[in-house]
C-alpha cells in the first residue's frame, strides 16, 4: 500500500520517505489545490474549477508517492495550488501568479500587487524550493506532472505519457524515451504535449544549474484518477526509470 504519512510537514510542502536510500528525488510541484486560510481559503472561483487541472495536477501526487515507494526514494510534494503561486516558474516569470487560465478568470489574482506576491513567495514558494534543494543532494530529479486530455478550444491530446526535457541536458530523458518506446500500449510524447522547460523553473533551478540528472514526466490525468491507476502506472514506470538511469550512469 502507498504510504501517505509525511515525515516532514510544512505549510508549503510535505516530504515522504525522507530516509529512503534510492537514487531519485521524486518531485510533484502541483500536488494539491489547497488555498491557505490566510488567503481566505479560496481564490473566488467555482469548486468545479478548483477541481480541474488549472488548480493542480490531477492524480500527480498519488503517482509521485507510489513511484517513491517503488523506487525506494524520497518524495517532495507542494501543498498549495498553482493558482496561488506556481512553484514551477521563475520568480520573475509573468505567469508566476495566473490571472486567467484555460478560460477561467482568477478573481483573487486580478489585482494582486508586488507586496502580496512577495508574501506568497516568502510563505510558500521559497520554503518549498529550499526543502527541494536540501532533499536533492546526491540524487537524480524525477519531476511528476499530469496534463488534461484537452484544453478548451484545442485539439485532443493523444499521448498517454510525455517526457519533457531541455536541450541543456537531455541525457536521462532521451534514455527514458527509448525505454518507454518498448511499452507497446503507451503513446509516448517527446516534449509533448508542450516542449522543454522554462528559465527558472524547478528543473532548471535544481537540476540543470546543479548538473544533476533529471527528467520530467507528464501523464494524461484521466489515466491516473484513482489510487489503483496511480499504483499501476508506478509499478510499470519504475523498472523503465531504473533502466534509463542505469543507461546514463553506467
Amino acid at each position: 500500500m502507498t504510504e501517505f504519512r509525511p515525515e516532514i510537514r510544512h505549510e508549503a510542502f510535505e516530504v515522504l520517505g525522507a530516509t529512503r536510500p534510492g537514487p531519485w528525488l521524486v518531485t510533484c510541484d502541483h500536488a494539491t489545490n489547497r488555498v491557505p486560510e490566510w488567503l481566505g481559503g479560496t481564490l473566488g472561483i467555482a469548486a468545479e474549477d478548483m477541481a480541474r487541472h488549472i488548480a493542480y495536477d490531477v492524480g500527480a501526487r498519488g503517482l509521485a508517492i507510489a513511484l517513491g515507494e517503488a523506487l525506494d526514494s524520497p518524495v517532495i510534494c507542494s501543498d498549495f495550488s498553482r493558482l496561488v503561486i506556481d512553484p514551477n516558474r521563475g520568480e520573475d516569470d509573468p505567469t508566476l501568479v495566473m490571472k486567467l487560465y484555460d478560460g477561467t478568470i482568477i478573481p483573487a489574482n486580478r489585482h494582486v500587487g508586488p507586496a502580496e506576491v512577495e508574501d506568497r513567495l516568502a510563505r510558500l514558494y521559497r520554503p518549498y524550493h529550499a526543502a527541494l534543494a536540501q532533499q536533492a543532494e546526491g540524487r537524480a530529479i524525477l519531476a511528476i506532472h499530469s496534463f488534461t486530455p484537452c484544453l478548451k478550444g484545442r485539439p485532443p491530446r493523444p499521448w498517454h505519457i510525455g517526457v519533457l526535457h531541455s536541450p541543456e541536458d537531455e541525457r536521462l530523458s532521451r534514455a527514458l524515451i527509448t525505454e518507454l518506446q518498448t511499452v507497446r500500449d503507451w503513446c509516448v510524447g517527446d516534449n509533448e504535449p508542450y516542449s522543454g522547460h522554462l528559465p527558472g523553473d524547478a528543473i532548471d533551478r535544481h537540476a540543470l544549474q546543479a548538473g544533476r540528472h533529471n527528467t520530467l514526466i507528464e501523464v494524461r490525468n484521466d489515466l491516473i484518477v484513482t489510487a489503483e491507476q496511480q499504483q499501476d502506472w508506478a509499478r510499470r514506470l519504475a523498472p523503465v526509470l531504473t533502466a534509463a538511469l542505469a543507461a546514463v550512469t553506467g
Side-chain angles (χ1 to χ4, degrees):
M1 293 294 291
T2 298
E3 172 194 358
F4 283 91
R5 182 179 299 169
E7 286 91 352
I8 303 171
R9 185 90 185 181
H10 184 279
E11 180 186 23
F13 63 87
E14 58 182 350
V15 177
L16 299 100
T19 61
R20 291 175 185 154
W24 302 89
L25 173 63
V26 185
T27 70
C28 190
D29 297 326
H30 302 141
T32 77
N33 59 0
R34 190 181 73 87
V35 179
E37 288 303 317
W38 47 268
L39 284 175
T42 177
L43 296 172
I45 64 175
E48 54 265 32
D49 277 324
M50 286 302 294
R52 293 203 299 132
H53 69 98
I54 65 170
Y56 74 122
D57 281 356
V58 177
R61 178 178 180 271
L63 176 58
I65 292 171
L67 273 169
E69 277 198 331
L71 296 167
D72 199 21
S73 295
V75 182
I76 183 168
C77 298
S78 68
D79 195 17
F80 53 93
S81 172
R82 67 194 299 167
L83 295 179
V84 174
I85 193 163
D86 193 334
N88 197 34
R89 296 292 184 271
E91 291 196 15
D92 59 350
D93 192 296
T95 64
L96 181 67
V97 177
M98 293 289 282
K99 300 181 179 183
L100 174 70
Y101 195 172
D102 196 22
T104 297
I105 295 172
I106 318 302
N109 293 345
R110 288 185 69 182
H111 305 294
V112 66
E116 187 171 349
V117 172
E118 176 59 31
D119 192 39
R120 298 183 194 187
L121 284 167
R123 297 175 72 161
L124 299 171
Y125 179 103
R126 290 176 187 144
Y128 171 71
H129 281 288
L132 199 164
Q134 183 177 38
Q135 294 295 320
E137 287 295 327
R139 301 181 187 275
I141 293 182
L142 169 60
I144 299 299
H145 293 256
S146 70
F147 64 94
T148 188
C150 188
L151 291 170
K152 290 182 178 180
R154 304 285 184 87
R157 294 161 157 177
W159 307 280
H160 299 123
I161 183 171
V163 179
L164 307 192
H165 49 88
S166 164
E168 293 182 29
D169 185 358
E170 300 177 324
R171 293 170 295 168
L172 181 53
S173 292
R174 289 292 177 200
L176 178 57
I177 289 168
T178 298
E179 294 292 335
L180 285 170
Q181 287 170 343
T182 68
V183 184
R184 299 301 179 190
D185 56 338
W186 284 348
C187 179
V188 179
D190 180 347
N191 265 343
E192 299 287 0
Y194 20 78
S195 63
H197 297 288
L198 298 170
D201 70 8
I203 288 288
D204 181 40
R205 181 171 181 166
H206 298 286
L208 298 178
Q209 294 180 26
R212 294 189 179 102
H213 283 296
N214 67 91
T215 193
L216 188 154
I217 288 178
E218 293 266 3
V219 178
R220 207 174 70 205
N221 64 24
D222 61 319
L223 303 176
I224 51 171
V225 174
T226 68
E228 291 76 14
Q229 290 174 316
Q230 294 157 12
Q231 288 281 354
D232 183 59
W233 271 83
R235 176 184 58 81
R236 299 179 71 191
L237 276 171
V240 177
L241 286 158
T242 298
L245 187 59
V248 297
T249 59

